[in-house]
mmCIF file of all heavy atoms in Angstrom:
data_model
loop_
_atom_site.group_PDB
_atom_site.id
_atom_site.type_symbol
_atom_site.label_atom_id
_atom_site.label_comp_id
_atom_site.label_asym_id
_atom_site.label_seq_id
_atom_site.Cartn_x
_atom_site.Cartn_y
_atom_site.Cartn_z
ATOM 1 N N ALA Z 1 59.132 -34.611 29.522
ATOM 2 C CA ALA Z 1 58.898 -34.309 28.116
ATOM 3 C C ALA Z 1 59.074 -35.578 27.282
ATOM 4 O O ALA Z 1 59.910 -36.429 27.619
ATOM 5 C CB ALA Z 1 59.870 -33.232 27.636
ATOM 6 N N PRO Z 2 58.298 -35.743 26.201
ATOM 7 C CA PRO Z 2 58.481 -36.911 25.331
ATOM 8 C C PRO Z 2 59.911 -36.989 24.810
ATOM 9 O O PRO Z 2 60.562 -35.973 24.558
ATOM 10 C CB PRO Z 2 57.489 -36.646 24.192
ATOM 11 C CG PRO Z 2 56.439 -35.779 24.807
ATOM 12 C CD PRO Z 2 57.175 -34.896 25.771
ATOM 13 N N ARG Z 3 60.380 -38.221 24.629
ATOM 14 C CA ARG Z 3 61.770 -38.424 24.215
ATOM 15 C C ARG Z 3 62.014 -38.089 22.738
ATOM 16 O O ARG Z 3 63.046 -37.526 22.385
ATOM 17 C CB ARG Z 3 62.182 -39.882 24.463
ATOM 18 C CG ARG Z 3 62.277 -40.258 25.935
ATOM 19 C CD ARG Z 3 62.475 -41.744 26.101
ATOM 20 N NE ARG Z 3 62.661 -42.115 27.501
ATOM 21 C CZ ARG Z 3 63.842 -42.274 28.087
ATOM 22 N NH1 ARG Z 3 64.950 -42.085 27.378
ATOM 23 N NH2 ARG Z 3 63.933 -42.610 29.356
ATOM 24 N N ARG Z 4 61.065 -38.447 21.866
ATOM 25 C CA ARG Z 4 61.267 -38.272 20.424
ATOM 26 C C ARG Z 4 60.809 -36.886 19.975
ATOM 27 O O ARG Z 4 59.791 -36.370 20.449
ATOM 28 C CB ARG Z 4 60.521 -39.353 19.652
ATOM 29 C CG ARG Z 4 60.995 -40.767 19.979
ATOM 30 C CD ARG Z 4 60.222 -41.796 19.163
ATOM 31 N NE ARG Z 4 60.625 -43.148 19.503
ATOM 32 C CZ ARG Z 4 61.692 -43.772 18.992
ATOM 33 N NH1 ARG Z 4 62.442 -43.137 18.092
ATOM 34 N NH2 ARG Z 4 61.994 -45.006 19.357
ATOM 35 N N SER Z 5 61.554 -36.320 19.021
ATOM 36 C CA SER Z 5 61.290 -34.948 18.604
ATOM 37 C C SER Z 5 59.882 -34.767 18.057
ATOM 38 O O SER Z 5 59.205 -33.785 18.365
ATOM 39 C CB SER Z 5 62.308 -34.505 17.550
ATOM 40 O OG SER Z 5 62.076 -33.161 17.172
ATOM 41 N N GLY Z 6 59.403 -35.716 17.232
ATOM 42 C CA GLY Z 6 58.071 -35.580 16.666
ATOM 43 C C GLY Z 6 57.000 -35.551 17.733
ATOM 44 O O GLY Z 6 56.101 -34.692 17.722
ATOM 45 N N GLU Z 7 57.069 -36.481 18.681
ATOM 46 C CA GLU Z 7 56.110 -36.514 19.781
ATOM 47 C C GLU Z 7 56.253 -35.273 20.654
ATOM 48 O O GLU Z 7 55.268 -34.722 21.144
ATOM 49 C CB GLU Z 7 56.326 -37.765 20.623
ATOM 50 C CG GLU Z 7 56.051 -39.068 19.887
ATOM 51 C CD GLU Z 7 56.365 -40.275 20.752
ATOM 52 O OE1 GLU Z 7 56.655 -40.088 21.960
ATOM 53 O OE2 GLU Z 7 56.334 -41.399 20.234
ATOM 54 N N ARG Z 8 57.495 -34.849 20.833
ATOM 55 C CA ARG Z 8 57.746 -33.681 21.678
ATOM 56 C C ARG Z 8 57.131 -32.428 21.062
ATOM 57 O O ARG Z 8 56.522 -31.603 21.760
ATOM 58 C CB ARG Z 8 59.252 -33.518 21.873
ATOM 59 C CG ARG Z 8 59.633 -32.543 22.969
ATOM 60 C CD ARG Z 8 61.059 -32.755 23.397
ATOM 61 N NE ARG Z 8 61.996 -32.715 22.298
ATOM 62 C CZ ARG Z 8 62.911 -33.656 22.056
ATOM 63 N NH1 ARG Z 8 63.004 -34.714 22.841
ATOM 64 N NH2 ARG Z 8 63.749 -33.541 21.042
ATOM 65 N N ARG Z 9 57.269 -32.271 19.760
ATOM 66 C CA ARG Z 9 56.698 -31.093 19.110
ATOM 67 C C ARG Z 9 55.175 -31.119 19.162
ATOM 68 O O ARG Z 9 54.540 -30.077 19.344
ATOM 69 C CB ARG Z 9 57.185 -30.993 17.664
ATOM 70 C CG ARG Z 9 58.660 -30.610 17.562
ATOM 71 C CD ARG Z 9 59.022 -30.131 16.192
ATOM 72 N NE ARG Z 9 60.403 -29.676 16.120
ATOM 73 C CZ ARG Z 9 60.849 -28.776 15.261
ATOM 74 N NH1 ARG Z 9 60.034 -28.235 14.386
ATOM 75 N NH2 ARG Z 9 62.123 -28.423 15.257
ATOM 76 N N ARG Z 10 54.576 -32.299 18.998
ATOM 77 C CA ARG Z 10 53.120 -32.385 19.104
ATOM 78 C C ARG Z 10 52.666 -32.046 20.524
ATOM 79 O O ARG Z 10 51.621 -31.399 20.720
ATOM 80 C CB ARG Z 10 52.649 -33.782 18.704
ATOM 81 C CG ARG Z 10 52.725 -34.046 17.209
ATOM 82 C CD ARG Z 10 52.027 -35.325 16.826
ATOM 83 N NE ARG Z 10 52.734 -36.505 17.300
ATOM 84 C CZ ARG Z 10 53.713 -37.110 16.637
ATOM 85 N NH1 ARG Z 10 54.111 -36.633 15.462
ATOM 86 N NH2 ARG Z 10 54.313 -38.177 17.130
ATOM 87 N N TRP Z 11 53.446 -32.479 21.517
ATOM 88 C CA TRP Z 11 53.130 -32.127 22.902
ATOM 89 C C TRP Z 11 53.261 -30.624 23.118
ATOM 90 O O TRP Z 11 52.389 -29.996 23.743
ATOM 91 C CB TRP Z 11 54.064 -32.896 23.835
ATOM 92 C CG TRP Z 11 54.135 -32.352 25.224
ATOM 93 C CD1 TRP Z 11 53.144 -32.317 26.154
ATOM 94 C CD2 TRP Z 11 55.270 -31.723 25.837
ATOM 95 N NE1 TRP Z 11 53.594 -31.732 27.316
ATOM 96 C CE2 TRP Z 11 54.889 -31.360 27.143
ATOM 97 C CE3 TRP Z 11 56.575 -31.471 25.405
ATOM 98 C CZ2 TRP Z 11 55.768 -30.724 28.019
ATOM 99 C CZ3 TRP Z 11 57.451 -30.845 26.282
ATOM 100 C CH2 TRP Z 11 57.040 -30.473 27.565
ATOM 101 N N LEU Z 12 54.314 -30.019 22.607
ATOM 102 C CA LEU Z 12 54.519 -28.582 22.762
ATOM 103 C C LEU Z 12 53.397 -27.783 22.090
ATOM 104 O O LEU Z 12 53.033 -26.701 22.561
ATOM 105 C CB LEU Z 12 55.874 -28.172 22.193
ATOM 106 C CG LEU Z 12 57.097 -28.578 23.026
ATOM 107 C CD1 LEU Z 12 58.379 -28.453 22.204
ATOM 108 C CD2 LEU Z 12 57.192 -27.728 24.300
ATOM 109 N N GLU Z 13 52.856 -28.318 21.006
ATOM 110 C CA GLU Z 13 51.752 -27.625 20.326
ATOM 111 C C GLU Z 13 50.540 -27.486 21.237
ATOM 112 O O GLU Z 13 49.758 -26.534 21.108
ATOM 113 C CB GLU Z 13 51.385 -28.369 19.041
ATOM 114 C CG GLU Z 13 52.410 -28.182 17.927
ATOM 115 C CD GLU Z 13 52.178 -29.101 16.746
ATOM 116 O OE1 GLU Z 13 51.211 -29.905 16.793
ATOM 117 O OE2 GLU Z 13 52.946 -29.029 15.769
ATOM 118 N N THR Z 14 50.370 -28.424 22.173
ATOM 119 C CA THR Z 14 49.245 -28.318 23.105
ATOM 120 C C THR Z 14 49.444 -27.186 24.110
ATOM 121 O O THR Z 14 48.500 -26.792 24.796
ATOM 122 C CB THR Z 14 49.028 -29.639 23.881
ATOM 123 O OG1 THR Z 14 50.129 -29.860 24.779
ATOM 124 C CG2 THR Z 14 48.910 -30.821 22.925
ATOM 125 N N LEU Z 15 50.682 -26.673 24.192
ATOM 126 C CA LEU Z 15 50.981 -25.600 25.137
ATOM 127 C C LEU Z 15 51.020 -24.221 24.475
ATOM 128 O O LEU Z 15 51.241 -23.224 25.158
ATOM 129 C CB LEU Z 15 52.332 -25.866 25.813
ATOM 130 C CG LEU Z 15 52.440 -27.170 26.606
ATOM 131 C CD1 LEU Z 15 53.851 -27.334 27.158
ATOM 132 C CD2 LEU Z 15 51.422 -27.223 27.731
ATOM 133 N N VAL Z 16 50.804 -24.167 23.157
ATOM 134 C CA VAL Z 16 50.894 -22.896 22.443
ATOM 135 C C VAL Z 16 49.938 -21.865 23.032
ATOM 136 O O VAL Z 16 50.302 -20.705 23.258
ATOM 137 C CB VAL Z 16 50.602 -23.095 20.938
ATOM 138 C CG1 VAL Z 16 50.441 -21.743 20.243
ATOM 139 C CG2 VAL Z 16 51.724 -23.879 20.281
ATOM 140 N N ALA Z 17 48.701 -22.262 23.287
ATOM 141 C CA ALA Z 17 47.707 -21.324 23.821
ATOM 142 C C ALA Z 17 47.404 -21.562 25.295
ATOM 143 O O ALA Z 17 46.474 -20.958 25.832
ATOM 144 C CB ALA Z 17 46.415 -21.424 23.009
ATOM 145 N N GLU Z 18 48.204 -22.411 25.969
ATOM 146 C CA GLU Z 18 47.962 -22.713 27.385
ATOM 147 C C GLU Z 18 48.237 -21.471 28.241
ATOM 148 O O GLU Z 18 49.363 -20.987 28.289
ATOM 149 C CB GLU Z 18 48.869 -23.863 27.832
ATOM 150 C CG GLU Z 18 48.843 -24.178 29.316
ATOM 151 C CD GLU Z 18 47.459 -24.485 29.825
ATOM 152 O OE1 GLU Z 18 46.885 -25.497 29.391
ATOM 153 O OE2 GLU Z 18 46.946 -23.680 30.644
ATOM 154 N N PRO Z 19 47.203 -20.949 28.935
ATOM 155 C CA PRO Z 19 47.418 -19.719 29.705
ATOM 156 C C PRO Z 19 48.154 -19.936 31.022
ATOM 157 O O PRO Z 19 48.663 -18.991 31.610
ATOM 158 C CB PRO Z 19 45.986 -19.220 29.956
ATOM 159 C CG PRO Z 19 45.151 -20.463 29.963
ATOM 160 C CD PRO Z 19 45.789 -21.378 28.955
ATOM 161 N N ARG Z 20 48.214 -21.187 31.488
ATOM 162 C CA ARG Z 20 48.889 -21.468 32.757
ATOM 163 C C ARG Z 20 50.375 -21.710 32.542
ATOM 164 O O ARG Z 20 50.800 -22.130 31.467
ATOM 165 C CB ARG Z 20 48.279 -22.706 33.411
ATOM 166 C CG ARG Z 20 46.818 -22.580 33.766
ATOM 167 C CD ARG Z 20 46.227 -23.912 34.171
ATOM 168 N NE ARG Z 20 46.236 -24.870 33.061
ATOM 169 C CZ ARG Z 20 45.817 -26.116 33.144
ATOM 170 N NH1 ARG Z 20 45.371 -26.574 34.299
ATOM 171 N NH2 ARG Z 20 45.848 -26.913 32.086
ATOM 172 N N ALA Z 21 51.175 -21.446 33.556
ATOM 173 C CA ALA Z 21 52.584 -21.836 33.509
ATOM 174 C C ALA Z 21 52.632 -23.360 33.415
ATOM 175 O O ALA Z 21 51.790 -24.052 33.978
ATOM 176 C CB ALA Z 21 53.313 -21.354 34.749
ATOM 177 N N ALA Z 22 53.604 -23.884 32.682
ATOM 178 C CA ALA Z 22 53.752 -25.335 32.524
ATOM 179 C C ALA Z 22 55.100 -25.764 33.078
ATOM 180 O O ALA Z 22 56.133 -25.157 32.774
ATOM 181 C CB ALA Z 22 53.634 -25.730 31.055
ATOM 182 N N VAL Z 23 55.097 -26.808 33.894
ATOM 183 C CA VAL Z 23 56.321 -27.332 34.499
ATOM 184 C C VAL Z 23 56.549 -28.744 33.978
ATOM 185 O O VAL Z 23 55.606 -29.536 33.900
ATOM 186 C CB VAL Z 23 56.210 -27.383 36.035
ATOM 187 C CG1 VAL Z 23 57.554 -27.743 36.655
ATOM 188 C CG2 VAL Z 23 55.706 -26.062 36.576
ATOM 189 N N PHE Z 24 57.784 -29.047 33.617
ATOM 190 C CA PHE Z 24 58.089 -30.414 33.204
ATOM 191 C C PHE Z 24 59.530 -30.761 33.551
ATOM 192 O O PHE Z 24 60.363 -29.883 33.769
ATOM 193 C CB PHE Z 24 57.827 -30.624 31.708
ATOM 194 C CG PHE Z 24 58.698 -29.834 30.766
ATOM 195 C CD1 PHE Z 24 59.896 -30.356 30.283
ATOM 196 C CD2 PHE Z 24 58.318 -28.572 30.343
ATOM 197 C CE1 PHE Z 24 60.693 -29.642 29.399
ATOM 198 C CE2 PHE Z 24 59.106 -27.839 29.465
ATOM 199 C CZ PHE Z 24 60.295 -28.382 28.995
#
């Protein structure tokens, strides 16, 4: 996962509608 909160939240936004399980 990205280290910084801002980058991390933008990354998490890409998973909002992701139908697959995500592992990190």
Side-chain angles (χ1 to χ4, degrees):
R3 292 171 176 265
R4 299 181 182 277
S5 182
E7 295 177 8
R8 193 162 54 231
R9 289 197 176 207
R10 287 190 290 273
W11 163 66
L12 287 165
E13 286 170 0
T14 68
L15 300 177
V16 170
E18 173 56 65
R20 298 170 296 178
V23 188
F24 65 91

